[in-house]
Amino acid sequence: MASLSWKHHTLIQALISRGPLKEKEFHSIFTGVTGRNPGDAKKIFDKYLLEINKELSYVHFELRACRDQYDGHVCYGVVNTVSDDQSKLGTKYSVPQIAFFKGIIEAIAHDEAAQGCISGFDALNIRLENQVPSEASSSQQQVPPAFRNFSMSQKDKTLDELVKDAWLCRTRDGNNIGLGIRSLLDLRSWFRNNDVPSCEVCNEAGVKADLCPNEGCTVRIHKYCLKNLSSQRDDRVCSGCGKPWPLGRVAKEEAVEAAVNDDDEEEETDTQATSLRSKKRKIRRHRDPAENVSSQASLASSSGITRRRVTRSAAHLS
């Protein structure tokens, strides 16, 4: 068994200490460590990942990549490949918090519309007793007191913690709750074991995906997978129902989204410019009093000199 070098350890440490990283960030670290660009040296990059995973497999961990289903970006992270009672002891979350999180995951993953999110209101109203085994939940006495006493404020605080830790995410408007990149990385086997429908193109769980427009068909495809298909052809036949799936509309939707993103960037730029102008005005206001005092002192000095000159001239004339 070959030991890992400091370069391997640096890559692992970066993912463990910083959490999941977007592809661009992870590639930048790889380039800084090895002096190689993953885009130009893909075989070397893949070899590093393979060597790391061989060693991590002995402790049931894996360096894994997946796409963020909300923006299509590839992310890397180190995940635990074993889900048992012993591994749960390492989490910082309490039993009620884990049950609350599981309830949210189930609500999002089993959404037939594949929107990839639920409203914040629905998230806060997740019932923890539904996470108790059916034979126990039939009796109110069997529901743990910690579940019954888990307040709305505790749920709200837990939501913030789960979002901060990237287990969940908030949509752009802030009103809905979706799956964070850590969930998408970590719960791959859970999605398969719980029959979450997969994307027809990449075979990954279609948590947030587009549904076949033909009524009654259950086929779903991620938006970024549809985008790749639309770049190759204008239309394709759905493998589920055999009817055409109009891919041309995907390009239009992408254009609309790009325009919205551009508007957001322009608004952010305008906000930064406004803030900069405001700061400059404040600096001027701070400087003005000093400048006024200096000007007044200068005027007073000039006035005094003028008076002395006038007085001397008058004395000479007299």
Side-chain angles (χ1 to χ4, degrees), residues 239-282:
S239 60
C241 62
K243 296 181 180 179
W245 189 317
L247 297 175
R249 63 177 185 172
V250 177
K252 295 179 181 178
E253 291 174 0
E254 290 289 337
V256 171
E257 288 185 4
V260 171
N261 291 335
D262 290 343
D263 290 342
D264 290 343
E265 290 177 1
E266 288 177 4
E267 289 178 5
E268 185 176 353
T269 302
D270 292 342
T271 301
Q272 292 174 351
T274 303
S275 177
L276 183 61
R277 286 195 295 270
S278 178
K279 288 180 180 178
K280 287 182 178 179
R281 283 196 293 269
K282 288 181 180 178

mmCIF file of all heavy atoms in Angstrom, residues 239-282:
data_model
loop_
_atom_site.group_PDB
_atom_site.id
_atom_site.type_symbol
_atom_site.label_atom_id
_atom_site.label_comp_id
_atom_site.label_asym_id
_atom_site.label_seq_id
_atom_site.Cartn_x
_atom_site.Cartn_y
_atom_site.Cartn_z
ATOM 1 N N SER A 239 -37.673 9.056 -23.912
ATOM 2 C CA SER A 239 -37.511 7.603 -23.844
ATOM 3 C C SER A 239 -38.662 6.943 -23.091
ATOM 4 O O SER A 239 -38.882 5.742 -23.208
ATOM 5 C CB SER A 239 -36.187 7.254 -23.152
ATOM 6 O OG SER A 239 -36.170 7.766 -21.832
ATOM 7 N N GLY A 240 -39.409 7.742 -22.326
ATOM 8 C CA GLY A 240 -40.509 7.181 -21.546
ATOM 9 C C GLY A 240 -41.796 7.031 -22.334
ATOM 10 O O GLY A 240 -42.430 5.976 -22.321
ATOM 11 N N CYS A 241 -42.177 8.105 -23.037
ATOM 12 C CA CYS A 241 -43.466 8.095 -23.735
ATOM 13 C C CYS A 241 -43.313 8.058 -25.258
ATOM 14 O O CYS A 241 -44.298 7.878 -25.978
ATOM 15 C CB CYS A 241 -44.296 9.303 -23.324
ATOM 16 S SG CYS A 241 -43.547 10.892 -23.740
ATOM 17 N N GLY A 242 -42.100 8.268 -25.756
ATOM 18 C CA GLY A 242 -41.880 8.219 -27.193
ATOM 19 C C GLY A 242 -42.309 9.465 -27.932
ATOM 20 O O GLY A 242 -42.201 9.525 -29.155
ATOM 21 N N LYS A 243 -42.767 10.478 -27.197
ATOM 22 C CA LYS A 243 -43.197 11.720 -27.844
ATOM 23 C C LYS A 243 -42.065 12.737 -27.831
ATOM 24 O O LYS A 243 -41.146 12.655 -27.011
ATOM 25 C CB LYS A 243 -44.430 12.273 -27.121
ATOM 26 C CG LYS A 243 -45.653 11.354 -27.214
ATOM 27 C CD LYS A 243 -46.842 11.970 -26.493
ATOM 28 C CE LYS A 243 -48.068 11.062 -26.585
ATOM 29 N NZ LYS A 243 -49.236 11.616 -25.866
ATOM 30 N N PRO A 244 -42.139 13.720 -28.739
ATOM 31 C CA PRO A 244 -41.061 14.717 -28.813
ATOM 32 C C PRO A 244 -40.926 15.522 -27.520
ATOM 33 O O PRO A 244 -41.921 15.886 -26.894
ATOM 34 C CB PRO A 244 -41.498 15.624 -29.982
ATOM 35 C CG PRO A 244 -42.437 14.785 -30.781
ATOM 36 C CD PRO A 244 -43.155 13.912 -29.792
ATOM 37 N N TRP A 245 -39.686 15.769 -27.133
ATOM 38 C CA TRP A 245 -39.388 16.637 -25.990
ATOM 39 C C TRP A 245 -38.758 17.903 -26.574
ATOM 40 O O TRP A 245 -37.621 17.887 -27.029
ATOM 41 C CB TRP A 245 -38.403 15.954 -25.051
ATOM 42 C CG TRP A 245 -38.213 16.673 -23.740
ATOM 43 C CD1 TRP A 245 -38.078 18.012 -23.544
ATOM 44 C CD2 TRP A 245 -38.129 16.073 -22.442
ATOM 45 N NE1 TRP A 245 -37.918 18.294 -22.233
ATOM 46 C CE2 TRP A 245 -37.939 17.124 -21.516
ATOM 47 C CE3 TRP A 245 -38.177 14.758 -21.977
ATOM 48 C CZ2 TRP A 245 -37.807 16.899 -20.152
ATOM 49 C CZ3 TRP A 245 -38.043 14.547 -20.617
ATOM 50 C CH2 TRP A 245 -37.868 15.596 -19.719
ATOM 51 N N PRO A 246 -39.482 19.006 -26.592
ATOM 52 C CA PRO A 246 -38.955 20.229 -27.223
ATOM 53 C C PRO A 246 -37.776 20.795 -26.445
ATOM 54 O O PRO A 246 -37.932 21.326 -25.348
ATOM 55 C CB PRO A 246 -40.156 21.187 -27.194
ATOM 56 C CG PRO A 246 -41.007 20.693 -26.065
ATOM 57 C CD PRO A 246 -40.819 19.212 -26.005
ATOM 58 N N LEU A 247 -36.594 20.670 -27.033
ATOM 59 C CA LEU A 247 -35.390 21.155 -26.363
ATOM 60 C C LEU A 247 -35.105 22.612 -26.698
ATOM 61 O O LEU A 247 -34.304 23.253 -26.039
ATOM 62 C CB LEU A 247 -34.187 20.297 -26.761
ATOM 63 C CG LEU A 247 -34.261 18.815 -26.349
ATOM 64 C CD1 LEU A 247 -33.059 18.070 -26.910
ATOM 65 C CD2 LEU A 247 -34.305 18.686 -24.840
ATOM 66 N N GLY A 248 -35.767 23.128 -27.736
ATOM 67 C CA GLY A 248 -35.521 24.507 -28.135
ATOM 68 C C GLY A 248 -35.872 25.499 -27.050
ATOM 69 O O GLY A 248 -35.246 26.541 -26.913
ATOM 70 N N ARG A 249 -36.873 25.158 -26.224
ATOM 71 C CA ARG A 249 -37.300 26.097 -25.182
ATOM 72 C C ARG A 249 -36.253 26.222 -24.081
ATOM 73 O O ARG A 249 -36.215 27.216 -23.367
ATOM 74 C CB ARG A 249 -38.608 25.618 -24.548
ATOM 75 C CG ARG A 249 -38.488 24.289 -23.834
ATOM 76 C CD ARG A 249 -39.784 23.890 -23.169
ATOM 77 N NE ARG A 249 -39.608 22.668 -22.400
ATOM 78 C CZ ARG A 249 -40.522 22.168 -21.593
ATOM 79 N NH1 ARG A 249 -41.672 22.777 -21.445
ATOM 80 N NH2 ARG A 249 -40.283 21.058 -20.928
ATOM 81 N N VAL A 250 -35.394 25.207 -23.955
ATOM 82 C CA VAL A 250 -34.361 25.241 -22.921
ATOM 83 C C VAL A 250 -33.415 26.406 -23.156
ATOM 84 O O VAL A 250 -33.032 27.122 -22.237
ATOM 85 C CB VAL A 250 -33.569 23.917 -22.885
ATOM 86 C CG1 VAL A 250 -32.448 23.992 -21.860
ATOM 87 C CG2 VAL A 250 -34.500 22.758 -22.564
ATOM 88 N N ALA A 251 -33.025 26.595 -24.429
ATOM 89 C CA ALA A 251 -32.120 27.692 -24.759
ATOM 90 C C ALA A 251 -32.757 29.034 -24.401
ATOM 91 O O ALA A 251 -32.087 29.941 -23.903
ATOM 92 C CB ALA A 251 -31.765 27.651 -26.241
ATOM 93 N N LYS A 252 -34.068 29.162 -24.659
ATOM 94 C CA LYS A 252 -34.762 30.404 -24.322
ATOM 95 C C LYS A 252 -34.765 30.629 -22.810
ATOM 96 O O LYS A 252 -34.548 31.731 -22.323
ATOM 97 C CB LYS A 252 -36.198 30.363 -24.851
ATOM 98 C CG LYS A 252 -36.291 30.309 -26.369
ATOM 99 C CD LYS A 252 -37.742 30.245 -26.823
ATOM 100 C CE LYS A 252 -37.835 30.160 -28.342
ATOM 101 N NZ LYS A 252 -39.238 30.056 -28.808
ATOM 102 N N GLU A 253 -35.039 29.544 -22.050
ATOM 103 C CA GLU A 253 -35.051 29.660 -20.600
ATOM 104 C C GLU A 253 -33.672 30.034 -20.077
ATOM 105 O O GLU A 253 -33.533 30.847 -19.166
ATOM 106 C CB GLU A 253 -35.507 28.337 -19.969
ATOM 107 C CG GLU A 253 -36.979 28.025 -20.231
ATOM 108 C CD GLU A 253 -37.364 26.637 -19.724
ATOM 109 O OE1 GLU A 253 -36.463 25.949 -19.185
ATOM 110 O OE2 GLU A 253 -38.535 26.269 -19.845
ATOM 111 N N GLU A 254 -32.625 29.444 -20.687
ATOM 112 C CA GLU A 254 -31.267 29.764 -20.281
ATOM 113 C C GLU A 254 -30.966 31.236 -20.552
ATOM 114 O O GLU A 254 -30.299 31.897 -19.760
ATOM 115 C CB GLU A 254 -30.262 28.887 -21.039
ATOM 116 C CG GLU A 254 -30.290 27.429 -20.643
ATOM 117 C CD GLU A 254 -29.730 27.215 -19.251
ATOM 118 O OE1 GLU A 254 -28.949 28.074 -18.788
ATOM 119 O OE2 GLU A 254 -30.085 26.210 -18.625
ATOM 120 N N ALA A 255 -31.458 31.744 -21.698
ATOM 121 C CA ALA A 255 -31.224 33.144 -22.036
ATOM 122 C C ALA A 255 -31.903 34.067 -21.037
ATOM 123 O O ALA A 255 -31.347 35.087 -20.622
ATOM 124 C CB ALA A 255 -31.735 33.437 -23.455
ATOM 125 N N VAL A 256 -33.125 33.700 -20.624
ATOM 126 C CA VAL A 256 -33.852 34.493 -19.634
ATOM 127 C C VAL A 256 -33.102 34.494 -18.309
ATOM 128 O O VAL A 256 -32.928 35.535 -17.667
ATOM 129 C CB VAL A 256 -35.284 33.946 -19.444
ATOM 130 C CG1 VAL A 256 -35.954 34.643 -18.266
ATOM 131 C CG2 VAL A 256 -36.101 34.148 -20.713
ATOM 132 N N GLU A 257 -32.648 33.299 -17.887
ATOM 133 C CA GLU A 257 -31.908 33.200 -16.633
ATOM 134 C C GLU A 257 -30.615 34.003 -16.691
ATOM 135 O O GLU A 257 -30.224 34.657 -15.727
ATOM 136 C CB GLU A 257 -31.593 31.736 -16.318
ATOM 137 C CG GLU A 257 -32.818 30.937 -15.900
ATOM 138 C CD GLU A 257 -32.447 29.518 -15.482
ATOM 139 O OE1 GLU A 257 -31.236 29.228 -15.454
ATOM 140 O OE2 GLU A 257 -33.351 28.744 -15.187
ATOM 141 N N ALA A 258 -29.928 33.943 -17.839
ATOM 142 C CA ALA A 258 -28.688 34.706 -17.994
ATOM 143 C C ALA A 258 -28.963 36.202 -17.887
ATOM 144 O O ALA A 258 -28.186 36.947 -17.277
ATOM 145 C CB ALA A 258 -28.037 34.383 -19.339
ATOM 146 N N ALA A 259 -30.095 36.643 -18.487
ATOM 147 C CA ALA A 259 -30.459 38.059 -18.418
ATOM 148 C C ALA A 259 -30.732 38.474 -16.977
ATOM 149 O O ALA A 259 -30.334 39.548 -16.531
ATOM 150 C CB ALA A 259 -31.695 38.324 -19.288
ATOM 151 N N VAL A 260 -31.427 37.596 -16.248
ATOM 152 C CA VAL A 260 -31.719 37.881 -14.837
ATOM 153 C C VAL A 260 -30.431 37.979 -14.042
ATOM 154 O O VAL A 260 -30.250 38.874 -13.222
ATOM 155 C CB VAL A 260 -32.628 36.779 -14.232
ATOM 156 C CG1 VAL A 260 -32.745 36.952 -12.727
ATOM 157 C CG2 VAL A 260 -34.007 36.832 -14.873
ATOM 158 N N ASN A 261 -29.496 37.050 -14.300
ATOM 159 C CA ASN A 261 -28.210 37.073 -13.606
ATOM 160 C C ASN A 261 -27.432 38.338 -13.931
ATOM 161 O O ASN A 261 -26.795 38.935 -13.067
ATOM 162 C CB ASN A 261 -27.373 35.842 -13.976
ATOM 163 C CG ASN A 261 -27.960 34.570 -13.416
ATOM 164 O OD1 ASN A 261 -28.674 34.577 -12.411
ATOM 165 N ND2 ASN A 261 -27.673 33.441 -14.068
ATOM 166 N N ASP A 262 -27.487 38.764 -15.225
ATOM 167 C CA ASP A 262 -26.804 39.987 -15.626
ATOM 168 C C ASP A 262 -27.387 41.192 -14.907
ATOM 169 O O ASP A 262 -26.667 42.089 -14.452
ATOM 170 C CB ASP A 262 -26.908 40.195 -17.145
ATOM 171 C CG ASP A 262 -26.070 39.190 -17.913
ATOM 172 O OD1 ASP A 262 -25.181 38.572 -17.290
ATOM 173 O OD2 ASP A 262 -26.319 39.007 -19.117
ATOM 174 N N ASP A 263 -28.745 41.208 -14.792
ATOM 175 C CA ASP A 263 -29.409 42.298 -14.088
ATOM 176 C C ASP A 263 -28.977 42.345 -12.628
ATOM 177 O O ASP A 263 -28.735 43.410 -12.065
ATOM 178 C CB ASP A 263 -30.940 42.150 -14.169
ATOM 179 C CG ASP A 263 -31.465 42.412 -15.575
ATOM 180 O OD1 ASP A 263 -30.725 43.029 -16.372
ATOM 181 O OD2 ASP A 263 -32.598 41.981 -15.882
ATOM 182 N N ASP A 264 -28.890 41.148 -12.030
ATOM 183 C CA ASP A 264 -28.467 41.073 -10.628
ATOM 184 C C ASP A 264 -27.055 41.604 -10.456
ATOM 185 O O ASP A 264 -26.747 42.324 -9.511
ATOM 186 C CB ASP A 264 -28.544 39.629 -10.115
ATOM 187 C CG ASP A 264 -29.978 39.145 -9.961
ATOM 188 O OD1 ASP A 264 -30.878 40.015 -9.933
ATOM 189 O OD2 ASP A 264 -30.193 37.922 -9.873
ATOM 190 N N GLU A 265 -26.171 41.233 -11.420
ATOM 191 C CA GLU A 265 -24.788 41.692 -11.346
ATOM 192 C C GLU A 265 -24.726 43.202 -11.525
ATOM 193 O O GLU A 265 -23.949 43.888 -10.859
ATOM 194 C CB GLU A 265 -23.946 40.998 -12.413
ATOM 195 C CG GLU A 265 -23.736 39.512 -12.135
ATOM 196 C CD GLU A 265 -22.959 38.829 -13.241
ATOM 197 O OE1 GLU A 265 -22.590 39.541 -14.204
ATOM 198 O OE2 GLU A 265 -22.727 37.613 -13.150
ATOM 199 N N GLU A 266 -25.564 43.749 -12.455
ATOM 200 C CA GLU A 266 -25.577 45.187 -12.671
ATOM 201 C C GLU A 266 -26.067 45.911 -11.424
ATOM 202 O O GLU A 266 -25.523 46.939 -11.034
ATOM 203 C CB GLU A 266 -26.473 45.534 -13.861
ATOM 204 C CG GLU A 266 -25.874 45.130 -15.209
ATOM 205 C CD GLU A 266 -26.813 45.429 -16.363
ATOM 206 O OE1 GLU A 266 -27.876 46.020 -16.098
ATOM 207 O OE2 GLU A 266 -26.494 45.086 -17.515
ATOM 208 N N GLU A 267 -27.121 45.345 -10.786
ATOM 209 C CA GLU A 267 -27.638 45.954 -9.571
ATOM 210 C C GLU A 267 -26.579 45.938 -8.485
ATOM 211 O O GLU A 267 -26.413 46.907 -7.744
ATOM 212 C CB GLU A 267 -28.888 45.200 -9.094
ATOM 213 C CG GLU A 267 -30.097 45.428 -9.983
ATOM 214 C CD GLU A 267 -31.289 44.617 -9.505
ATOM 215 O OE1 GLU A 267 -31.182 43.970 -8.437
ATOM 216 O OE2 GLU A 267 -32.338 44.641 -10.182
ATOM 217 N N GLU A 268 -25.840 44.833 -8.398
ATOM 218 C CA GLU A 268 -24.788 44.736 -7.386
ATOM 219 C C GLU A 268 -23.697 45.757 -7.663
ATOM 220 O O GLU A 268 -23.189 46.410 -6.751
ATOM 221 C CB GLU A 268 -24.196 43.326 -7.394
ATOM 222 C CG GLU A 268 -23.175 43.100 -6.288
ATOM 223 C CD GLU A 268 -22.674 41.668 -6.261
ATOM 224 O OE1 GLU A 268 -23.217 40.840 -7.019
ATOM 225 O OE2 GLU A 268 -21.743 41.389 -5.496
ATOM 226 N N THR A 269 -23.337 45.910 -8.963
ATOM 227 C CA THR A 269 -22.321 46.887 -9.342
ATOM 228 C C THR A 269 -22.788 48.297 -9.019
ATOM 229 O O THR A 269 -22.033 49.121 -8.498
ATOM 230 C CB THR A 269 -22.011 46.778 -10.851
ATOM 231 O OG1 THR A 269 -21.584 45.439 -11.135
ATOM 232 C CG2 THR A 269 -20.931 47.771 -11.251
ATOM 233 N N ASP A 270 -24.082 48.595 -9.352
ATOM 234 C CA ASP A 270 -24.647 49.914 -9.058
ATOM 235 C C ASP A 270 -24.636 50.181 -7.561
ATOM 236 O O ASP A 270 -24.352 51.292 -7.105
ATOM 237 C CB ASP A 270 -26.078 50.021 -9.593
ATOM 238 C CG ASP A 270 -26.115 50.024 -11.116
ATOM 239 O OD1 ASP A 270 -25.054 50.286 -11.724
ATOM 240 O OD2 ASP A 270 -27.195 49.748 -11.687
ATOM 241 N N THR A 271 -24.977 49.135 -6.784
ATOM 242 C CA THR A 271 -25.006 49.283 -5.326
ATOM 243 C C THR A 271 -23.616 49.592 -4.792
ATOM 244 O O THR A 271 -23.440 50.454 -3.932
ATOM 245 C CB THR A 271 -25.525 47.987 -4.663
ATOM 246 O OG1 THR A 271 -26.839 47.704 -5.156
ATOM 247 C CG2 THR A 271 -25.579 48.140 -3.148
ATOM 248 N N GLN A 272 -22.601 48.879 -5.337
ATOM 249 C CA GLN A 272 -21.233 49.114 -4.904
ATOM 250 C C GLN A 272 -20.789 50.519 -5.276
ATOM 251 O O GLN A 272 -20.118 51.200 -4.495
ATOM 252 C CB GLN A 272 -20.302 48.081 -5.537
ATOM 253 C CG GLN A 272 -20.523 46.659 -5.009
ATOM 254 C CD GLN A 272 -19.682 45.642 -5.755
ATOM 255 O OE1 GLN A 272 -19.069 45.954 -6.766
ATOM 256 N NE2 GLN A 272 -19.658 44.412 -5.254
ATOM 257 N N ALA A 273 -21.177 50.967 -6.493
ATOM 258 C CA ALA A 273 -20.797 52.312 -6.933
ATOM 259 C C ALA A 273 -21.456 53.372 -6.052
ATOM 260 O O ALA A 273 -20.825 54.360 -5.668
ATOM 261 C CB ALA A 273 -21.209 52.517 -8.405
ATOM 262 N N THR A 274 -22.745 53.156 -5.728
ATOM 263 C CA THR A 274 -23.467 54.087 -4.860
ATOM 264 C C THR A 274 -22.825 54.147 -3.491
ATOM 265 O O THR A 274 -22.659 55.214 -2.898
ATOM 266 C CB THR A 274 -24.943 53.653 -4.724
ATOM 267 O OG1 THR A 274 -25.537 53.585 -6.013
ATOM 268 C CG2 THR A 274 -25.702 54.644 -3.861
ATOM 269 N N SER A 275 -22.446 52.967 -2.984
ATOM 270 C CA SER A 275 -21.790 52.906 -1.681
ATOM 271 C C SER A 275 -20.466 53.645 -1.705
ATOM 272 O O SER A 275 -20.120 54.353 -0.756
ATOM 273 C CB SER A 275 -21.576 51.446 -1.280
ATOM 274 O OG SER A 275 -20.877 51.355 -0.066
ATOM 275 N N LEU A 276 -19.712 53.503 -2.817
ATOM 276 C CA LEU A 276 -18.430 54.182 -2.943
ATOM 277 C C LEU A 276 -18.609 55.688 -2.979
ATOM 278 O O LEU A 276 -17.866 56.425 -2.322
ATOM 279 C CB LEU A 276 -17.723 53.700 -4.213
ATOM 280 C CG LEU A 276 -16.326 54.264 -4.479
ATOM 281 C CD1 LEU A 276 -15.391 53.883 -3.329
ATOM 282 C CD2 LEU A 276 -15.774 53.737 -5.792
ATOM 283 N N ARG A 277 -19.631 56.152 -3.721
ATOM 284 C CA ARG A 277 -19.895 57.591 -3.780
ATOM 285 C C ARG A 277 -20.288 58.130 -2.419
ATOM 286 O O ARG A 277 -19.890 59.215 -2.009
ATOM 287 C CB ARG A 277 -21.002 57.880 -4.806
ATOM 288 C CG ARG A 277 -20.556 57.743 -6.257
ATOM 289 C CD ARG A 277 -21.568 58.376 -7.195
ATOM 290 N NE ARG A 277 -22.833 57.672 -7.167
ATOM 291 C CZ ARG A 277 -23.130 56.662 -7.974
ATOM 292 N NH1 ARG A 277 -22.247 56.255 -8.883
ATOM 293 N NH2 ARG A 277 -24.306 56.063 -7.898
ATOM 294 N N SER A 278 -21.080 57.335 -1.699
ATOM 295 C CA SER A 278 -21.500 57.737 -0.353
ATOM 296 C C SER A 278 -20.305 57.875 0.574
ATOM 297 O O SER A 278 -20.210 58.822 1.357
ATOM 298 C CB SER A 278 -22.491 56.705 0.206
ATOM 299 O OG SER A 278 -22.873 57.042 1.518
ATOM 300 N N LYS A 279 -19.371 56.900 0.476
ATOM 301 C CA LYS A 279 -18.176 56.965 1.311
ATOM 302 C C LYS A 279 -17.349 58.209 0.986
ATOM 303 O O LYS A 279 -16.803 58.865 1.876
ATOM 304 C CB LYS A 279 -17.331 55.711 1.105
ATOM 305 C CG LYS A 279 -17.951 54.460 1.721
ATOM 306 C CD LYS A 279 -17.055 53.252 1.477
ATOM 307 C CE LYS A 279 -17.689 52.000 2.086
ATOM 308 N NZ LYS A 279 -16.868 50.791 1.822
ATOM 309 N N LYS A 280 -17.239 58.532 -0.327
ATOM 310 C CA LYS A 280 -16.473 59.709 -0.730
ATOM 311 C C LYS A 280 -17.093 60.986 -0.177
ATOM 312 O O LYS A 280 -16.397 61.891 0.266
ATOM 313 C CB LYS A 280 -16.391 59.782 -2.258
ATOM 314 C CG LYS A 280 -15.465 58.739 -2.871
ATOM 315 C CD LYS A 280 -15.403 58.904 -4.376
ATOM 316 C CE LYS A 280 -14.430 57.883 -4.985
ATOM 317 N NZ LYS A 280 -14.374 58.010 -6.454
ATOM 318 N N ARG A 281 -18.466 61.042 -0.182
ATOM 319 C CA ARG A 281 -19.139 62.221 0.353
ATOM 320 C C ARG A 281 -18.871 62.373 1.843
ATOM 321 O O ARG A 281 -18.670 63.460 2.349
ATOM 322 C CB ARG A 281 -20.643 62.143 0.068
ATOM 323 C CG ARG A 281 -21.005 62.477 -1.376
ATOM 324 C CD ARG A 281 -22.500 62.760 -1.513
ATOM 325 N NE ARG A 281 -23.281 61.572 -1.266
ATOM 326 C CZ ARG A 281 -23.642 60.724 -2.235
ATOM 327 N NH1 ARG A 281 -23.273 60.945 -3.491
ATOM 328 N NH2 ARG A 281 -24.359 59.663 -1.949
ATOM 329 N N LYS A 282 -18.877 61.207 2.537
ATOM 330 C CA LYS A 282 -18.610 61.237 3.978
ATOM 331 C C LYS A 282 -17.194 61.734 4.250
ATOM 332 O O LYS A 282 -16.955 62.498 5.180
ATOM 333 C CB LYS A 282 -18.803 59.845 4.577
ATOM 334 C CG LYS A 282 -20.256 59.417 4.660
ATOM 335 C CD LYS A 282 -20.359 58.039 5.288
ATOM 336 C CE LYS A 282 -21.818 57.599 5.365
ATOM 337 N NZ LYS A 282 -21.938 56.237 5.943
#
